[in-house]
Amino acid sequence: MSLLVKRRQIGANGMGRPRKYPILNGPVNDLIFAAMKRDGISKPNEWADKWGIGRTALRTAMVGRQSQSGTWVRPDVRTLWRLAKALDVPLVYLIEQFYDDLDNTDALWPQVPIIGWVGAGSGREEDIQEKYVPVDMNLALRGNVVAFKVKGNSMCAGPKPICDGDVIIVDCQNKGRVGSRVVARLVDGGFVCKLLKHGPTGNYLVSTNPSSDNSYPVVIPTSSVQEIVGKVIEVRSPDSP
């Protein structure tokens, strides 16, 4: 008899004594047991390690409801994302199983902060009402991802335009390469979104829409750049559905 089955029986016996282990009645335990059998693993902790799921987090998912009123001991959505990959089921399926009593599950999705304006230049900034923007779980798991709101149309041209009012998602762990759209912090403290190019004297930043009225020059040399903040990995337009 496996340790898992023994623990389940101990939890079920009760007899007025505190349970050493809770009853395992999570909503997808059958899928978890089947996946463990598929992977040739008999111990939940070892299976959790294989798929990068926290051991305590997996235990939480397997515990399930713990009161007569039906209160869940719920895993967080990042755990469900990893569990979905391990079970080969859609993430939305697991969300429906564990958060079926919530009216709005959109609030469960990870968000990244909008940390300021980009491409505006001094004197044109204004308060940003939105403080956060929801992102796909794959982006959230990268780690250091932030967002900026775009002011100006200096990059509103070419096959992947970035226009006034857009929100751009930036991966701060990826500084980009020649040809990438990047966000840079300049020596004057302002942030710009430009195309990273290379010339005879080294790298420089350039606008894709030189005809735009912009607070910064069309071409910015590296001597004016304090740091490359990161590569633009997603553009969100206010007109997008």
Side-chain angles (χ1 to χ4, degrees):
M1 181 180 293
S2 72
L3 178 61
L4 182 62
V5 173
K6 289 180 181 178
R7 289 185 175 184
R8 187 158 38 180
Q9 289 181 339
I10 291 173
N13 286 338
M15 298 181 64
R17 300 174 60 187
R19 291 190 179 114
K20 186 176 181 180
Y21 303 102
I23 299 174
L24 300 182
N25 59 359
V28 295
N29 283 356
D30 288 345
L31 293 178
I32 293 174
F33 293 138
M36 290 171 57
K37 182 177 181 181
R38 174 202 66 199
D39 295 335
I41 298 175
S42 60
K43 296 181 178 180
N45 284 348
E46 293 180 4
W47 189 77
D49 293 343
K50 171 182 173 62
W51 288 99
I53 303 170
R55 293 182 174 187
T56 301
L58 178 63
R59 187 69 179 177
T60 297
M62 299 179 74
V63 162
R65 295 191 186 276
Q66 288 302 297
S67 72
Q68 293 182 353
S69 63
T71 301
W72 283 113
V73 178
R74 302 187 229 246
D76 62 29
V77 179
R78 292 176 186 242
T79 296
L80 294 185
W81 183 83
R82 293 185 174 94
L83 188 58
K85 295 185 69 175
L87 299 178
D88 193 25
V89 297
L91 173 60
V92 67
Y93 171 78
L94 295 185
I95 291 176
E96 290 172 350
Q97 300 303 308
F98 285 94
Y99 292 88
D100 60 332
D101 58 333
L102 296 186
D103 294 331
N104 180 18
T105 58
D106 290 343
L108 300 173
W109 293 95
Q111 298 183 329
V112 298
I114 300 178
I115 63 175
W117 291 99
V118 65
S122 59
R124 294 185 55 191
E125 295 186 2
E126 53 195 73
D127 289 340
I128 298 176
Q129 299 302 316
E130 316 95 288
K131 301 301 181 183
Y132 294 89
V133 58
V135 296
D136 182 83
M137 187 64 67
N138 288 298
L139 296 184
L141 292 175
R142 292 191 185 194
N144 197 6
V145 177
V146 297
F148 289 87
K149 195 162 186 179
V150 178
K151 192 79 170 182
N153 287 306
S154 65
M155 291 291 289
C156 193
K160 297 179 180 179
I162 299 174
C163 303
D164 185 68
D166 288 349
V167 171
I168 53 176
I169 312 298
V170 177
D171 184 354
C172 298
Q173 294 179 336
N174 184 348
K175 303 304 180 180
R177 58 183 180 181
V178 174
S180 297
R181 299 171 300 170
V182 299
V183 167
R185 181 166 63 91
L186 304 182
V187 294
D188 67 2
F191 291 92
V192 295
C193 177
K194 300 293 181 183
L195 193 65
L196 183 61
K197 302 287 284 186
H198 183 78
T201 59
N203 290 345
Y204 62 95
L205 302 176
V206 63
S207 300
T208 61
N209 185 20
S211 64
S212 172
D213 179 17
N214 192 267
S215 301
Y216 288 107
V218 173
V219 177
I220 301 176
T222 54
S223 60
S224 298
V225 178
Q226 185 71 32
E227 67 167 333
I228 300 294
V229 176
K231 180 182 178 181
V232 177
I233 54 177
E234 187 177 337
V235 180
R236 306 237 181 125
S237 169
D239 298 329
S240 299

